[in-house]
Amino acid sequence: MIISSGGTMANTKIFGYYVIALLFLYTSTQYVVTSLNVSTLCIKEERVALLKVKKDLKDPANCLSSWVGEDCCNWKGIQCDNQTGHVLKLKLRYYHICNKNTISLSLSPFSSNHHPLSGEINPSITDLKHLSHLDLSYNDFKRIPIPKFIGSLHMLNYLDLSYANFSGMVPNHLVNLSNLHYLDISSSYSSSYSSLQVSDFSWLFALSSLRYLSMHNLKFTTLPHELFRAMNKMSSLIELDLSLCNITSLPPSSPFLNITSLSLLDLSDNPFNSSIPSWLFNMSSLTKLDLSYSSLRGFLPSTLGRWKICKLQILHLSHNLITDDIADMIEAMSCSNQSLKILDLGYNQLTGKLSNSLGQFTSLIDLDLRGNSVKSHSGVSGPIPTSIGNLSRLLTLNLEGNMMNGTIPESIGQLTRLYSLNLLENYWEGTMTNIHFQNLTDLISFSVSSKNNRLSLKVTDDWVPPFKDLTYVEIRSCQVGSTFPDWLKTQIDLNEIILENAGIFGEIPHWLYNISSQIENLDLSHNKISGYLPKKMNFTSSNNPIVDFSHNHLKGSVQIWSGLSALFLRNNSLSGKLPANIGEEMSHLQMLDISHNFLNKSIPLSLNKIQNLSFLDLSNNYLTGEIPEFSMGMKRLSIIDLSNNRLAGGIPTSICSLPFLSILELSNNNLSADLSFVFQKCFRLKILSLKYNKLFGSIPKGINKHIPSLSELLIRGNTLTGSIPKELCHLLSLHLMDLAENNLSGSIPTCLGDVHGFKLPQMYFSNSSIYQIWGYESYTRHTELVLKGRIIEYLNQSPVQSIIDLSKNNLSGEIPEKITQLIHLGALNLSWNHLTGDIPNNIGSLKDLESLDLSHNHLSGPIPTSMASMTFLSHLNLSHNNLSGQIPRGNQFGTFNEPSIYEGNPGLCGEPLPTNCSSLLHRKREHEDDGDGDDEKIERLKLYASIAAGYITGFWIVCGSLMLKRSWRHAYFNFVFDMRDKLLVFVVVNLGRVNRRFGSERN
């Protein structure tokens, strides 16, 4: 028993040793196998294929530097199967392989700041037989076509070729990729790279497994219904992006009947130009719908009842022409009040008032209703509902540019997560206090203004805002108190301060000097800030800061603030001269406006060193000296305004060397130059204003060749001579021509009736006095025009945009009939000339004419009756001519009750003149009768006088010669006596014959 027991124990130990050995052997084998698998994971053939792909790619940033060695599965952008070693994923997205942070898609990934992959795609990529994921996005393949052989990668379920600068037709070979779940072939946002096209959608029919499809910015060259028919085959589709594809119409009924799981639909940036079909709001699976920038108009299908998109989280309908009532829309989408997070209805034509039901959308994080006011005729109106305080998750609220009014509710202070609040451009009233901000601890951006200037912001003097990170504040036309708001100094990150027309008095506070180095935009314009222009401000922000102190009471001299990109000091009391070194010290300036001050001395030559200067306005000062030569290096300078100064000398010819010069204002100076030779090759010049100088010579005959883009020519009040050249008629854009108060002669060119610019409607020139310089609205042109008999200054835009003024010259001849073809002409002034003939009968065709002055000429004939149809005519002067007949009645002539506009025309009658047309006609007839009698007497006297003159003349011709010449006298009397004797003999002989004949007959 003992032996047996010991043997059993020995056998057990031996068995245990065997088990331990086997376990050790198993684990060792597994370790070796695993080691072998790791070392041999990359398939050699696939590694070779990848190296060939690398060879044909251009990699300036060396993003593929890890593609070395034997183990390709460890290369960047490569992912292999852990078991087989086959390459499954090839991720060559620029931002991924080059360690770049993802940037906004609006930026071009192949801009000068990026160096993505380019070159060609080697066909050896098809040797990756197991490849299921291919991403080449955000690279720059220099507009090569998408390779057809990509259609041979049958195992692909993910293909991303987006924003990679491919061009040409999308290959139909993609039809072979039947396993695709994800396809993105979007083209770049930049128009110069949007060259991918689709002419045949047949390949899409085979991709029935797609869940994600994006074809943003592709050009479709086939009908939209073919596209939607193909979409309907993709029953598994979850996300669809067809934005910016030039789709021109939406089907009236749903094209997605077979798609029940579509969650994201983006049809934005397409020119639908139609109403929104109701099926879009019956897709119950949608969580995001984007129809922005699509020319959609009219009403939304809210009138059909509540929408069925109850899962909707994001709705973008901005930048359309939707005219719905905002309250009806909010009611229609009420079933999504717990899911909706982003609601963007900005830049439409919405009306109505926000209702308290808005407070039910408690998941909202972004509410954007901006820009629904169109020329102040429509827009969301009424007050902000107090229920706004229920939107506890709201991050951004934008109500800018509407017709909203009333007081701003204190409940807005309950939006504890709000970081951006924009209440600009409405009609707010009342007062905002500390309570409105009491819980806004995250506020970063705050903007408010009131168009009626009835809103005020009143906080206690010791108020410390609950927010500390405010970076942007904009308060316009809202009273913030008589002094600069001190609570702003608690905001340590503040970089944009706009306090325009805020009722601020006093001086600029010193604490603002201390943060000037971080300021990017400082606008304190249209206040009553006084004191000296501060010297100690240090604008050194790297973002090209802008400073606007215009329309205040600042005094002192212009200061040097280095680093600024724009400086506006217009309408202050600054004096002295411009710093001589302004060009060296402020070389980053793009915009400089110091107009309407008291600056004197000459313009410093150093301005030529500001190479990026776009506009220069030094008008309405007391500057003297000559206009400096402008450097050809100032390639961006497009606006120069030196008007209303005391500048003398000539106009430098170098001014036309500025390649972008479009506006030149030199009026009201003492400039003297021969206009015939000054402006040569000013190809981009649009506005030329030289009024009231001492210019001489003639209007250059080659003006259409040297200034072909000219739209406004203002040279009133000079001493120009010669005729109006016909070449002016070839300036296609010319719509404002003021040549008055010169010594021009000759006739008015008939071809003026052919100038295209004068035929354009006035709305074509709306906002033409406001100009943007490199994207920033900066220069508001001030124009003085003589209209309706007085000088009118326009600061924003002129109500009369198309003008011809040739008054106070020496023009002669008739008014060209062709001028009546300028149907949109706004003002015509031909007064104080020597014009003759009749007023053109068709002058009534000038339907838009507001001002007509033909006074002080020699015009004759009647006033054309067609003028009664000129319903916009508000100023008329026909005085001091030779016009006759009855003044037309009715329409506009019923409003012209001032007799002086007809005086100096003795032949005119009718209201408002005291001369009655019937009495004038009677006197005319009497005058005609008297005239007939007088004419008869005169004729009789003429007859008697001619007889007497003839008798006297004949008598003296005959008798005078006989008296003077004796031989003639003897011959004459001998002749007379002979004739007498012959006549007596003839009479006696014939009497004897008669007597004998009568005697024989009697016998």
Side-chain angles (χ1 to χ4, degrees):
M1 292 294 294
I2 294 175
I3 295 172
S4 176
S5 174
T8 302
M9 290 178 64
N11 289 336
T12 302
K13 287 181 179 180
I14 292 170
F15 179 76
Y17 291 147
Y18 276 114
V19 170
I20 291 171
L22 287 172
L23 286 171
F24 177 77
L25 179 64
Y26 175 77
T27 55
S28 299
T29 304
Q30 285 297 104
Y31 175 77
V32 171
V33 170
T34 303
S35 299
L36 288 173
N37 283 343
V38 170
S39 62
T40 60
L41 195 58
C42 179
I43 308 297
K44 179 180 178 181
E45 291 79 5
E46 296 185 356
R47 182 176 68 250
V48 172
L50 288 171
L51 290 174
K52 290 180 180 179
V53 170
K54 178 185 177 182
K55 182 180 179 181
D56 283 359
L57 291 175
K58 295 179 180 179
D59 183 13
N62 205 22
C63 299
L64 302 180
S65 58
S66 66
W67 284 31
V68 292
E70 297 293 321
D71 193 359
C72 65
C73 293
N74 284 329
W75 294 354
K76 195 163 191 177
I78 307 297
Q79 185 173 334
C80 299
D81 188 298
N82 289 333
Q83 300 299 321
T84 66
H86 287 296
V87 175
L88 299 180
K89 297 183 179 181
L90 181 56
K91 301 178 180 179
L92 298 184
R93 178 185 289 239
Y94 168 63
Y95 302 115
H96 173 69
I97 61 169
C98 293
N99 293 323
K100 300 290 183 181
N101 294 326
T102 302
I103 62 171
S104 170
L105 295 182
S106 62
L107 299 176
S108 174
F110 24 90
S111 66
S112 59
N113 297 325
H114 302 89
H115 304 283
L117 300 176
S118 59
E120 297 183 355
I121 303 171
N122 193 289
S124 61
I125 197 172
T126 58
D127 293 337
L128 307 176
K129 302 296 184 182
H130 297 270
L131 193 66
S132 61
H133 183 115
L134 177 59
D135 188 348
L136 301 176
S137 60
Y138 294 94
N139 285 295
D140 183 9
F141 288 103
K142 307 294 184 183
R143 301 170 70 84
I144 66 171
I146 295 175
K148 296 179 181 180
F149 52 75
I150 286 182
S152 302
L153 299 170
H154 301 291
M155 299 296 291
L156 279 182
N157 57 47
Y158 184 106
L159 177 59
D160 191 345
L161 305 177
S162 61
Y163 310 107
N165 198 11
F166 289 110
S167 69
M169 291 291 176
V170 175
N172 290 338
H173 299 72
L174 298 183
V175 69
N176 299 318
L177 306 180
S178 57
N179 293 316
L180 274 184
H181 292 164
Y182 184 105
L183 176 60
D184 192 344
I185 51 176
S186 300
S187 189
S188 169
Y189 277 66
S190 172
S191 60
S192 59
Y193 294 98
S194 57
S195 52
L196 270 179
Q197 302 180 28
V198 179
S199 61
D200 182 6
F201 293 110
S202 59
W203 57 274
L204 275 174
F205 285 89
L207 308 184
S208 57
S209 299
L210 274 180
R211 296 177 184 175
Y212 178 97
L213 175 60
S214 178
M215 295 193 287
H216 165 82
N217 199 23
L218 265 64
K219 182 179 180 181
F220 296 159
T221 58
T222 189
L223 296 176
H225 73 272
E226 290 292 329
L227 167 68
F228 289 114
R229 200 161 64 89
M231 297 294 106
N232 200 34
K233 297 292 183 180
M234 304 174 189
S235 57
S236 302
L237 202 61
I238 296 175
E239 296 188 18
L240 176 61
D241 184 352
L242 298 176
S243 57
L244 201 61
C245 289
N246 200 35
I247 305 172
T248 55
S249 63
L250 284 169
S253 58
S254 176
F256 304 126
L257 295 176
N258 296 329
I259 306 176
T260 57
S261 56
L262 190 64
S263 175
L264 184 153
L265 179 59
D266 190 345
L267 297 173
S268 61
D269 289 283
N270 284 295
F272 295 129
N273 196 28
S274 65
S275 57
I276 303 179
S278 58
W279 58 264
L280 279 167
F281 297 92
N282 292 327
M283 303 179 69
S284 58
S285 60
L286 280 183
T287 60
K288 177 181 177 181
L289 176 60
D290 193 343
L291 298 171
S292 57
Y293 295 94
S294 295
S295 301
L296 295 167
R297 62 177 187 270
F299 295 94
L300 288 172
S302 55
T303 54
L304 303 177
R306 294 187 176 183
W307 301 342
K308 297 179 181 179
I309 43 178
C310 299
K311 299 178 182 179
L312 195 65
Q313 297 180 17
I314 301 173
L315 178 60
H316 290 293
L317 294 175
S318 66
H319 294 86
N320 285 291
L321 299 171
I322 300 170
T323 55
D324 219 333
D325 187 291
I326 185 65
D328 293 342
M329 292 181 65
I330 296 295
E331 179 64 26
M333 62 179 74
S334 58
C335 76
S336 59
N337 57 18
Q338 299 303 309
S339 62
L340 194 64
K341 296 180 179 179
I342 298 176
L343 179 59
D344 184 0
L345 304 176
Y347 297 106
N348 281 284
Q349 297 176 16
L350 300 179
T351 57
K353 301 179 180 179
L354 284 173
S355 61
N356 270 314
S357 59
L358 178 65
Q360 300 173 9
F361 290 79
T362 54
S363 296
L364 268 179
I365 61 173
D366 184 359
L367 177 59
D368 192 342
L369 302 178
R370 80 182 99 171
N372 277 287
S373 177
V374 181
K375 296 182 180 179
S376 300
H377 296 313
S378 63
V380 179
S381 58
I384 300 174
T386 55
S387 64
I388 194 80
N390 298 337
L391 307 182
S392 58
R393 298 181 182 178
L394 201 64
L395 301 178
T396 64
L397 174 61
N398 195 332
L399 303 177
E400 178 183 352
N402 280 286
M403 303 289 287
M404 301 189 74
N405 51 32
T407 59
I408 298 171
E410 294 179 348
S411 58
I412 211 164
Q414 301 171 19
L415 304 176
T416 56
R417 297 186 181 181
L418 196 70
Y419 71 81
S420 178
L421 175 61
N422 188 343
L423 304 176
L424 290 170
E425 297 296 315
N426 282 282
Y427 293 88
W428 310 119
E429 300 176 356
T431 304
M432 292 187 75
T433 65
N434 312 27
I435 300 175
H436 289 82
F437 303 95
Q438 60 183 351
N439 294 313
L440 304 184
T441 56
D442 294 335
L443 198 63
I444 295 176
S445 174
F446 171 59
S447 307
V448 66
S449 69
S450 178
K451 293 180 181 178
N452 55 16
N453 207 14
R454 294 181 181 176
L455 180 68
S456 59
L457 178 60
K458 293 183 180 179
V459 295
T460 57
D461 293 337
D462 58 348
W463 181 57
V464 178
F467 46 85
K468 301 293 183 183
D469 300 319
L470 194 70
T471 62
Y472 182 94
V473 59
E474 181 174 358
I475 302 174
R476 299 179 186 270
S477 301
C478 170
Q479 304 304 301
V480 300
S482 59
T483 59
F484 206 91
D486 268 352
W487 57 268
L488 286 175
K489 66 183 178 183
T490 64
Q491 308 302 306
I492 58 176
D493 294 324
L494 203 58
N495 54 43
E496 293 196 54
I497 304 174
I498 301 172
L499 301 174
E500 180 191 344
N501 191 23
I504 300 173
F505 289 78
E507 299 183 0
I508 298 173
H510 284 275
W511 64 261
L512 194 57
Y513 301 0
N514 299 330
I515 66 168
S516 59
S517 60
Q518 69 191 48
I519 293 293
E520 297 176 9
N521 187 2
L522 179 59
D523 185 350
L524 305 180
S525 62
H526 294 87
N527 285 290
K528 297 179 181 179
I529 299 173
S530 57
Y532 285 91
L533 197 64
K535 297 180 180 180
K536 298 181 180 180
M537 301 193 101
N538 181 27
F539 299 101
T540 56
S541 170
S542 60
N543 293 323
N544 300 319
I546 298 170
V547 172
D548 189 348
F549 290 163
S550 58
H551 294 273
N552 279 288
H553 302 311
L554 293 167
K555 57 185 178 180
S557 58
V558 176
Q559 300 300 317
I560 294 292
W561 293 330
S562 300
L564 290 183
S565 65
L567 176 60
F568 304 102
L569 299 174
R570 177 188 179 95
N571 280 89
N572 277 283
S573 299
L574 302 176
S575 58
K577 64 180 181 179
L578 283 169
N581 61 341
I582 188 171
E584 292 92 352
E585 299 297 328
M586 302 184 72
S587 59
H588 297 290
L589 275 178
Q590 297 179 33
M591 293 163 278
L592 179 61
D593 185 351
I594 321 180
S595 61
H596 292 268
N597 280 283
F598 300 96
L599 302 179
N600 52 37
K601 304 295 183 181
S602 61
I603 300 172
L605 294 175
S606 65
L607 282 176
N608 279 314
K609 297 183 179 180
I610 308 178
Q611 299 293 300
N612 292 322
L613 195 65
S614 299
F615 99 82
L616 174 66
D617 191 350
L618 303 177
S619 62
N620 291 276
N621 280 286
Y622 296 93
L623 297 173
T624 58
E626 296 187 357
I627 299 173
E629 293 283 344
F630 286 92
S631 167
M632 293 180 65
M634 304 178 76
K635 293 183 178 179
R636 291 191 171 191
L637 192 56
S638 59
I639 296 176
I640 300 174
D641 192 346
L642 305 177
S643 60
N644 294 285
N645 279 287
R646 297 175 178 177
L647 299 171
I651 300 173
T653 55
S654 63
I655 212 157
C656 284
S657 67
L658 304 172
F660 286 97
L661 185 65
S662 60
I663 298 176
L664 181 60
E665 288 270 4
L666 301 177
S667 299
N668 292 284
N669 281 287
N670 296 312
L671 301 173
S672 177
D674 188 341
L675 191 62
S676 310
F677 304 104
V678 175
F679 298 99
Q680 304 289 323
K681 298 181 180 180
C682 287
F683 296 125
R684 290 181 181 241
L685 191 61
K686 295 180 179 179
I687 297 174
L688 177 60
S689 181
L690 305 171
K691 298 179 296 181
Y692 297 111
N693 279 284
K694 299 177 181 178
L695 302 176
F696 55 91
S698 59
I699 301 172
K701 291 187 177 180
I703 191 170
N704 59 315
K705 296 180 180 179
H706 293 292
I707 321 179
S709 303
L710 197 63
S711 61
E712 298 184 19
L713 177 61
L714 310 172
I715 49 179
R716 165 189 292 266
N718 286 282
T719 57
L720 300 177
T721 56
S723 60
I724 300 174
K726 294 181 179 179
E727 285 77 6
L728 280 175
C729 304
H730 301 301
L731 295 170
L732 299 180
S733 301
L734 189 65
H735 68 90
L736 201 162
M737 182 172 69
D738 188 351
L739 312 181
E741 298 182 43
N742 281 285
N743 295 319
L744 299 173
S745 57
S747 60
I748 300 173
T750 303
C751 61
L752 279 181
D754 298 323
V755 179
H756 179 68
F758 291 121
K759 296 182 180 182
L760 295 174
Q762 295 182 27
M763 65 182 68
Y764 183 85
F765 306 106
S766 61
N767 295 322
S768 64
S769 296
I770 302 175
Y771 299 89
Q772 289 193 344
I773 308 298
W774 307 106
Y776 183 83
E777 186 178 295
S778 55
Y779 176 68
T780 300
R781 183 166 172 247
H782 48 94
T783 306
E784 286 186 355
L785 298 174
V786 178
L787 287 174
K788 303 179 182 180
R790 63 185 187 275
I791 298 175
I792 303 176
E793 183 177 10
Y794 298 104
L795 293 178
N796 291 316
Q797 69 179 74
S798 169
V800 178
Q801 295 289 348
S802 186
I803 299 170
I804 295 177
D805 192 341
L806 306 178
S807 61
K808 296 185 179 179
N809 279 287
N810 296 314
L811 299 174
S812 57
E814 298 185 354
I815 300 174
E817 184 74 29
K818 241 184 176 184
I819 211 166
T820 62
Q821 297 178 9
L822 308 178
I823 57 174
H824 293 297
L825 190 66
L828 177 62
N829 190 346
L830 305 177
S831 63
W832 294 93
N833 279 288
H834 307 290
L835 301 176
T836 56
D838 294 347
I839 299 175
N841 282 327
N842 293 329
I843 198 168
S845 301
L846 304 178
K847 301 294 184 183
D848 287 348
L849 201 67
E850 296 182 27
S851 176
L852 176 63
D853 192 344
L854 303 178
S855 64
H856 295 275
N857 279 287
H858 306 296
L859 299 174
S860 57
I863 299 175
T865 56
S866 65
M867 290 180 64
S869 62
M870 301 166 70
T871 54
F872 284 100
L873 194 63
S874 59
H875 175 78
L876 175 66
N877 193 347
L878 302 177
S879 63
H880 299 284
N881 280 285
N882 296 318
L883 300 174
S884 59
Q886 183 173 358
I887 297 172
R889 298 176 180 176
N891 295 335
Q892 290 303 99
F893 277 90
T895 65
F896 300 137
N897 299 318
E898 180 58 49
S900 62
I901 66 174
Y902 302 111
E903 68 181 8
N905 292 283
L908 283 179
C909 62
E911 296 181 355
L913 293 177
T915 307
N916 186 281
C917 287
S918 58
S919 61
L920 180 65
L921 182 60
H922 179 68
R923 288 201 305 270
K924 184 178 179 181
R925 287 177 179 172
E926 290 181 346
H927 179 71
E928 288 177 353
D929 291 341
D930 294 341
D932 290 343
D934 293 340
D935 289 344
E936 186 176 348
K937 292 178 181 179
I938 292 171
E939 290 296 327
R940 189 178 296 115
L941 288 174
K942 287 180 179 179
L943 177 62
Y944 294 157
S946 61
I947 292 173
Y951 178 80
I952 295 170
T953 303
F955 175 82
W956 282 108
I957 287 175
V958 176
C959 297
S961 59
L962 294 177
M963 290 175 64
L964 295 173
K965 191 97 172 153
R966 177 181 295 179
S967 59
W968 286 13
R969 187 168 58 251
H970 290 170
Y972 171 75
F973 283 111
N974 288 332
F975 171 76
V976 172
F977 292 151
D978 287 343
M979 290 301 297
R980 182 197 62 186
D981 293 341
K982 290 178 180 181
L983 181 61
L984 289 173
V985 170
F986 175 79
V987 170
V988 170
V989 172
N990 282 287
L991 284 174
R993 290 177 180 174
V994 170
N995 289 330
R996 284 195 298 269
R997 184 177 296 174
F998 277 108
S1000 60
E1001 286 180 357
R1002 189 177 298 119
N1003 293 327

